[in-house]
Amino acid sequence: MALLIRGGTVVTAETTVRADVLCDGDKIIAVGPDLEAPAGADIIDAGGQYVMPGGIDPHTHMELPFMGTVASEDFYTGTAAGAAGGTTMIIDFVIPSPQQSLMEAYKTWRGWAEKAATDYSFHVAVTWWDDSVARDMGTLVQDHGVNSFKHFMAYKNAIMCEDEVLVNSFTRAWELGALCTVHAENGELVYHLQKKLIAQGITGPEGHPLSRPPEVEGEAANRAIRIAQVLGVPLYIVHVSCKEALEAISRARAEGQRVYGEVLAGHLVVDESVYRSTDFEFAAAHVMSPPFRSKEHQSALWRGLQSGNLQTTATDHCCFCAPQKAAGRNDFTKIPNGTGGVEDRMMVLWDQGVNTGRLTPNEFVKVTSANTAQIFNLYPRKGTVAVGADADIVVWDPKGTKTISAKTHHQNVDFNIFEGMTVTGIPSHTIAAGKLVYAKGELRTVRGAGRYVNRPAFPSYFEALKLVKDINTPKPVTRAAAAE
Ligand SMILES: NC(=O)NCCC(=O)O
Ligand SMILES: [Zn+2]
Ligand SMILES: [Zn+2]
């Protein structure tokens, strides 16, 4: 069935034009002035509104088994909540337990995700190493459309990677044309600080940020960057939360290294004071890693986005309800790490980014969809409004307002880190794969309508890096044979 979005202003990463958008099936088939509606087409009036690519959240954890419990948001509720906020695709994480086969874990996650309402894809975590892991990485890239692997440098005694795993996995991913990503925190230092704080009697959530200071993140970010530099491979750092990590990324980029950085909506607007609340439930609800930081770090992150040293925004949507967080009432190290936001990211970014003049609407598109699509090789299928692209679109009302609250959100969690924030700039309609899935407050998602999206290997920056490598390949010195 055709769908015509009429009378809006189409905003992509590059251009802003008054145009109608015609979708047929799951694709955009025309963008231009005064398009005629085919017989029987649905028509959306986008007068006074922006028509933009649906958001892509490159970092979510739906129904993740983690720290002795399972994230409360599943692939249906999470993608539906995303649609209510203008997000039409997520890239979630397959996280095998150490010694578990990557393929087995991947199949398990694919099964869980079949209920998704909008499109999705997977990064796969490398949590251990042997020849079977190298083999499975090949199968995932060549046969299953996975083009990114994740490495946790934190969570000692669980899923943390030592440097040896990083070196092996980065090397293998390069051969396969896949991008390596890291959660950059020095897990050894976190573990040391956690034990010290508990011994000092600091058992509440205030211990969480004290055990994960910015230096711990800066060290790991810099280490991963230097490992990637020596190996000559690209690198993507997830949830950059502090100046120290941002400085490492900015320096590497200034030196010509291909390093990408992601920032979470939460890290841009929530500050560390939340952990000192006397209300355990409130403080624990904010426990996520890396933790929320000071306003000084927040300002640096905004500048990172503005300068282009950070390219993508995400949420790390990983929800746990109060009874789950209560597992750490007497020991902050046992509070399941994670917070939500898949529904709120676009509105928070618009309100605090575009409405403050930090970002133009085109830059908003870059950091909420287009850059992610380019880095993870989904562009121009996703991340733009153009003929031939997937009909994943958000119609954005720049004057619409709402107050974010756990009482009204669609996310399956009892808390919202943006609680009480009144945002201006909200989606009026969300279209996913050509279907209207959200219209003026009404969710119309269908369980299982989302599709698994294959992401081809070798994004274009691999070609560029290969040239650099070839030019810099060390050559042996030719010497005259020694006299007999
Ligand atoms: N971020 C967080 O606290 N939980 C989810 C797992 C991760 O990304 O580290
Ligand atoms: Zn992480
Ligand atoms: Zn995460």
Side-chain angles (χ1 to χ4, degrees), residues 59-61 93 95 150 152 155 183 238-239 289 316-318:
H59 190 154
T60 65
H61 301 281
F93 292 83
I95 307 184
K150 168 77 174 283
F152 290 92
Y155 306 124
H183 167 136
V238 306
H239 51 42
S289 298
D316 198 359
H317 188 84
C318 187

Side-chain angles (χ1 to χ4, degrees), residues 139-457:
T139 308
L140 287 163
V141 173
Q142 284 147 9
D143 301 340
H144 298 279
V146 170
N147 73 9
S148 50
F149 292 96
K150 168 77 174 283
H151 307 80
F152 290 92
M153 298 172 79
Y155 306 124
K156 181 177 158 73
N157 296 330
I159 51 178
M160 183 172 104
C161 285
E162 302 292 347
D163 286 1
E164 184 185 356
V165 177
L166 298 181
V167 172
N168 285 325
S169 179
F170 285 17
T171 306
R172 176 68 175 142
W174 166 259
E175 289 167 4
L176 295 166
L179 177 61
C180 284
T181 79
V182 291
H183 167 136
E185 284 184 304
N186 182 318
E188 200 60 54
L189 281 174
V190 171
Y191 185 69
H192 172 82
L193 291 174
Q194 285 178 332
K195 282 196 300 190
K196 191 170 152 192
L197 285 157
I198 296 283
Q200 286 170 345
I202 299 178
T203 58
E206 68 279 13
H208 181 69
L210 296 172
S211 69
R212 310 180 99 100
E215 294 75 14
V216 156
E217 185 180 339
E219 186 283 324
N222 198 52
R223 179 159 37 104
I225 287 170
R226 292 305 189 193
I227 291 172
Q229 181 183 32
V230 169
L231 300 175
V233 304
L235 181 69
Y236 178 99
I237 303 192
V238 306
H239 51 42
V240 176
S241 76
C242 65
K243 273 194 310 184
E244 287 76 354
L246 173 60
E247 280 162 6
I249 294 170
S250 308
R251 185 179 57 240
R253 290 175 63 85
E255 289 169 1
Q257 211 181 324
R258 231 162 251 281
V259 178
Y260 302 106
E262 166 195 283
V263 62
L264 306 184
H267 282 134
L268 288 166
V269 301
V270 179
D271 75 69
E272 63 190 355
S273 61
V274 293
Y275 297 115
R276 301 206 66 82
S277 168
T278 52
D279 176 349
F280 171 83
E281 278 196 6
F282 178 87
H286 289 91
V287 166
M288 62 93 59
S289 298
F292 298 114
R293 307 285 192 196
S294 70
K295 293 198 184 307
E296 198 189 336
H297 290 286
Q298 284 175 7
S299 306
L301 295 175
W302 277 112
R303 286 194 297 273
L305 259 190
Q306 290 176 280
S307 65
N309 281 320
L310 298 175
Q311 298 76 33
T312 65
T313 60
T315 57
D316 198 359
H317 188 84
C318 187
C319 296
F320 300 104
C321 294
Q324 296 173 289
K325 294 274 185 181
R329 181 162 273 285
N330 301 314
D331 178 349
F332 71 86
T333 68
K334 297 196 165 57
I335 300 171
N337 286 203
T339 54
V342 71
E343 181 172 352
D344 313 306
R345 175 184 65 124
M346 304 273 282
M347 292 177 275
V348 168
L349 258 291
W350 186 278
D351 185 73
Q352 293 295 302
V354 178
N355 292 345
T356 58
R358 288 169 167 135
L359 301 173
T360 66
N362 306 93
E363 288 163 348
F364 172 83
V365 169
K366 279 188 195 168
V367 303
T368 56
S369 66
N371 288 350
T372 290
Q374 285 176 346
I375 292 167
F376 293 104
N377 217 10
L378 290 162
Y379 196 87
R381 173 176 174 188
K382 306 278 188 191
T384 191
V385 176
V387 173
D390 279 3
D392 284 359
I393 296 170
V394 61
V395 181
W396 195 263
D397 178 0
K399 296 208 168 74
T401 68
K402 82 176 225 182
T403 301
I404 297 174
S405 173
K407 292 195 186 74
T408 50
H409 71 198
H410 298 83
Q411 300 169 133
N412 189 31
V413 62
D414 56 5
F415 192 83
N416 193 308
I417 55 169
F418 306 110
E419 184 74 34
M421 186 172 164
T422 298
V423 289
T424 301
I426 60 173
S428 69
H429 299 80
T430 307
I431 294 111
K435 302 262 180 342
L436 189 59
V437 289
Y438 175 79
K440 296 189 171 170
E442 186 202 335
L443 207 48
R444 299 188 190 176
T445 44
V446 175
R447 194 179 172 88
R451 304 161 303 179
Y452 176 72
V453 179
N454 285 295
R455 292 177 292 125

